[in-house]
Every structure is written in structure tokens, then in C-alpha cells.
Amino acid sequence: MGEIFSSFWFLIIPTLMFIIFLTKFFKHSENNAKKVTYSRLPPGGRGLPIIGDSINWYNAVSSSHPPSFVKEQVQRYGKIFSCNLLGKRAVVSADPSFNRFIMQNEGKLFQSSYPKSFRNLVGINGVINAQGEQQKKLHSIASNMMRLDKFSFHFMKDIQMVLHQTVTNFENNEVIILQDVCRKVAINLMVNQLLGVSSEGEVDEMAHLFSDFVDGCLSVPINFPGFAFHTAMKAREKIIEKIDKIVKKHREERKSGDELAGNGLLGRLVDDESLADDTMADFVINLLFAGNETTAKTMLFAVYFLTQCPEAMKQLLEEQQTLKSRKNSSDGEDQMLTWQDYKAMPFTQCVIDETLRLGGIAIWLMREAKQDVEYQDYVIPKGCFVVPFLSAVHLDENIYEESLLFNPWRWLEPQNKEKSNWRSSPFYTPFGGGARFCPGAELARLQIALFLHHFVTTYRWTQMKEDRMSFFPSARLVNGFHIQLTR
């Protein structure tokens, strides 16, 4: 009886927390939709009283196969359906054309939808929460800062220096939790490239603060001591203090004529004088948050999938060892990879594409209708919550044969060439689309490719503990992926 009682609470507590979490997400949308007409909504069920389909939704997104609930509803009602989440009707889409329609009409017919608690944490002046012209301005600044032509000059060397410091110094036979390692690597990369910070002590301090910050973004929003959200709000204050200090130091160095001033994207942002200081802090925090999650989890999942697919591991290693052998200098020292080397990694790019398809971080988006929206025979009323479920498209058997199988070679097949264009394909959207397309997409891919190069050419590894993916409250491996390294 005791075991049954314990199991009951083990299941019910996270479910209740999820319900509270979702309530925060839907509350402000509901206030904007005081009177709506649902007569022409896409078809769908209502689920249980009050909580609707929330438990089934939670069970799906916290599993290794997030679209399982969506797949069941699609079989009943079609690829665009409605469901009941916490008493509120929501439209969910597994249709690539409708998903693209939603993303392309960002700011016109739809807008991003986040709770006040989340907005306050990541910052109301950042690109994640900004709407309308301000969002366009911030997105344009971010995109310009991360143009491809700046990568070879600004990023290649810095990324490899950080990777050398954080990835290649583990002892022979050391057991690591790769999830923690990848998170630290990603934070180090983002702090270095965005803030221009390279001191190990400063980076470690910022990494610790940002770890607390990220944990709070994905927690129940209770701003009281002892809760992760409260810790995150305190971490945010300290991060802003550090950003302000870096901005002040940069301005002083620039006044003194120091030519070394301006390291990092923040330095160039200060020089451009295009943003107020409070907006600048939120802008940088947004980029830190978005970049860290995408990069860290894709690094982790790539190694996880490669471990399960020795043939892919072998081909990736051969490609990377070929590049490494070309970079060996006469004195035996390894030279850094160049931008041309990065572009000569075709199979590595296939591994990244397949990792993002199977284990993409943005599995679903949160949008709200700004007005009554007509699509096909449906009307989505103003204020209605709309969910483009990107992962349901990525794992659709009608689009990708054996969709649950890790198969990087699929991206070499002629029929998948067009799908692999992640900037425009409706069938492959790991970085979103439209006005909110991730401006750091190419930078993330560069970081992941260089991480794989350093990791697979330095170590072999043995998995020490069974593991599986979960996507709630964030994408992760439930046991962190324990591996033993052999140099």
C-alpha cells in the first residue's frame, strides 16, 4: 500500500505542477478573449472536466515521443484540431502548411504568447517578448550581428579556444554526466561570444548565475525564497549588473582609445548605440537564453544518437579525423579549423540535421490569434491559443520514412534535399520561421559541428547508464547521460 501511495504522489505532483504551469500560460490569453465564438473551430474533443486534455498533453511532452497525443488526435480529427487545455479551447496544428502560415503571419494575424512571470524573467524588452516594430528592430539587429560573413573573423577562433578549455581536458577513464558538460560548454561559448568575457573565474560565475536563471524559466512561477523562480529572478538582477559593468568598462576603454575594446557582440552593440541600456540588457539575456538551450541540448542529443548508431559514429569520425590530419603542423601541434574546414563537413551536417529533426528543442510554439483568422473552412477567434506542433511534422511517417529512426543518411537522398533547407522548408523547422526565425541558427550549427569535431577526435566513450529523452519541462536526457571516456 505504501508503494502504491508513493507512486500515486510521484505521478500526481508533477501533473499538478504542469497544470499550474499551463494555467499561467493561458491566463492572459483568456483575458484577451472574453467573448469568442467557437462554432467554426477545427474539430476536436473536450477531454475531462476543467483540466480537459492537460494530463494527456503532459504525458506526451514529458516522454521521448512528444507528438504521441497529437498523433492520436490527428487520426480522429485531422492535422488541424482543437482540444481543451484547462477549460480553454486551443487550436493545435500538425499541418506543415498551416504551421508555416502561422509563422509567416507573426505580428499580423498571430503573436507570441507567454505568461507575465516568464516575460518578467527573460525581460520585456528582449526579442522573445517584443511585439510589432520593436520585435522587427531587435530581430534585425540580432540577425545583422550574426551574419555568415562575420563568422570566420569573429567566431571560429573563439569557439575553438573555449572548446579546447572545456572539452579536451578530461582524464582517461573519467566518468562524466554529458548533459552537465554540454550545458557548461554552451554557457561558456555564449558568455564568451556575447559578452567578450574570457577570464575563467568570470565565465564560471556567469555560468553559475545563468544556470540558476534557466532553471527558473522552466519552473513553477512562485517568487518566494526557496523556489527556483525566485532564485532565477535574483540571478537575473546579478546578470544585469554584470552586463552594465561590461558596458561601462567598454565605454571607458573606447574613450581612452583602446583598440582592444569591443570584444564580443555586446561591445559592438554598445558601439552602434542603437539600443538603450535597459533594452540592451534584456536583448543580451534573450540571446543567452535562446542560444544556450539550443546549442547545449543538440550537442548532447547528437552524442546520444551517435552512441546508439555505431555506423554513423564511424562515418562521422572518419570525416573529422580527415580534417584533423590535414591540420597537424610539422611540430605535431594541431592547428585550428578554418571556415573552409567547417564547410567541408557534409556528413556532420547530416548528423546535425537529423539530431534537430528527432530531438529539436522547439517542439511546439505558443501563439495567440490577434483577430478572427479564417483558414480553409475554419475560423480561429481572436484571443484563441494556437499551437504549431513542429515536432509532429518532423516525426510524420508520411513525410519521413521510419521517422523515429536516427538516420542521418536520409538527408543525402534526393527527395529530402528540399526538405533540408531549414530556412524555408515547411517540413523542417527546427529554428522556427517567419519574423521570429532564430537569428543565431547558423552560429548554433557552427558551435555544434566544432564541438563534435573536438569531442569525437579526442575520446571514445562507453555509456554507463540507460537513458531516454524527455521534453518537459525542457528537452533533456532523464539521467543526464553518464559516459566513461577513453582518450
Side-chain angles (χ1 to χ4, degrees), residues 33 73 105 121 129 145 166 174 192 216 269 358-359 388-389 451 477:
Q73 301 302 302
N105 282 282
L121 189 52
N129 288 313
M145 292 167 68
T166 55
E174 185 172 349
N192 175 272
L269 198 61
L358 270 178
F389 212 106
F451 164 79
L477 293 176

Side-chain angles (χ1 to χ4, degrees), residues 107-133:
K108 303 171 188 174
L109 304 179
F110 304 94
Q111 64 184 12
S112 62
S113 179
Y114 298 101
K116 182 180 179 182
S117 57
F118 180 81
R119 296 200 305 272
N120 289 342
L121 189 52
V122 300
I124 59 175
N125 295 314
V127 68
I128 292 176
N129 288 313
Q131 304 287 354
E133 291 304 314

Side-chain angles (χ1 to χ4, degrees), residues 139-147 149-150 272 439:
H139 191 275
S140 176
I141 292 172
S143 299
N144 183 59
M145 292 167 68
M146 299 184 194
R147 290 203 319 264
D149 59 1
K150 298 186 177 183
D272 291 343

Side-chain angles (χ1 to χ4, degrees), residues 195-436:
L195 305 183
V197 173
S198 56
S199 162
E200 187 174 349
E202 288 182 289
V203 169
D204 286 345
E205 185 179 2
M206 184 64 81
H208 178 74
L209 289 171
F210 197 69
S211 179
D212 288 342
F213 174 82
V214 171
D215 288 344
C217 290
L218 305 168
S219 67
V220 178
I222 300 176
N223 196 5
F224 190 79
F227 288 87
F229 185 80
H230 178 79
T231 303
M233 289 298 290
K234 293 297 181 184
R236 170 183 161 81
E237 293 175 8
K238 293 179 181 177
I239 291 171
I240 290 176
E241 288 176 6
K242 290 190 173 295
I243 291 173
D244 290 343
K245 184 178 178 181
I246 293 170
V247 169
K248 182 179 179 182
K249 180 182 178 182
H250 174 79
R251 285 175 174 153
E252 290 173 350
E253 290 174 342
R254 183 60 72 189
K255 282 182 180 179
S256 67
D258 189 346
E259 293 299 322
L260 295 177
N263 290 334
L265 295 178
L266 179 58
R268 295 198 288 281
L269 198 61
V270 174
D271 290 340
D272 291 343
E273 297 182 346
S274 53
L275 295 176
D277 285 3
D278 57 347
T279 303
M280 198 182 306
D282 281 354
F283 180 79
V284 172
I285 287 175
N286 276 225
L287 295 184
L288 282 168
F289 175 72
N292 175 73
E293 280 299 292
T294 301
T295 304
K297 299 305 171 58
T298 308
M299 288 173 177
L300 171 69
F301 287 163
V303 176
Y304 173 70
F305 290 136
L306 288 167
T307 305
Q308 297 176 326
C309 186
E311 189 177 352
M313 178 68 237
K314 181 175 181 291
Q315 187 165 336
L316 177 80
L317 180 58
E318 288 173 351
E319 180 172 89
Q320 294 301 333
Q321 283 183 325
T322 299
L323 289 171
K324 187 179 179 71
S325 65
R326 293 176 187 166
K327 310 306 290 186
N328 288 341
S329 59
S330 57
D331 60 2
E333 290 293 322
D334 290 342
Q335 296 177 353
M336 289 191 176
L337 297 180
T338 64
W339 179 253
Q340 289 70 31
D341 294 324
Y342 168 63
K343 301 306 289 184
M345 300 181 182
F347 189 71
T348 301
Q349 296 297 336
C350 290
V351 168
I352 295 172
D353 282 334
E354 186 70 347
T355 300
L356 288 167
R357 185 189 68 82
L358 270 178
I361 310 308
I363 60 173
W364 48 299
L365 305 178
M366 293 170 289
R367 296 292 184 263
E368 176 186 305
K370 293 183 65 177
Q371 61 189 58
D372 289 356
V373 178
E374 292 191 27
Y375 186 84
Q376 295 179 356
D377 296 329
Y378 308 129
V379 173
I380 301 169
K382 178 181 178 180
C384 185
F385 194 62
V386 183
V387 184
F389 212 106
L390 309 182
S391 182
V393 177
H394 295 166
L395 300 179
D396 188 336
E397 287 286 342
N398 295 317
I399 298 173
Y400 296 102
E401 186 178 350
E402 295 184 297
S403 63
L404 296 181
L405 180 68
F406 178 74
N407 175 17
W409 297 276
R410 76 171 75 244
W411 299 105
L412 300 174
E413 298 170 359
Q415 65 268 29
N416 287 327
K417 283 291 184 182
E418 186 62 31
K419 294 174 188 173
S420 66
N421 188 343
W422 39 269
R423 292 181 180 85
S424 61
S425 172
F427 304 104
Y428 184 58
T429 51
F431 298 105
R436 291 190 181 273

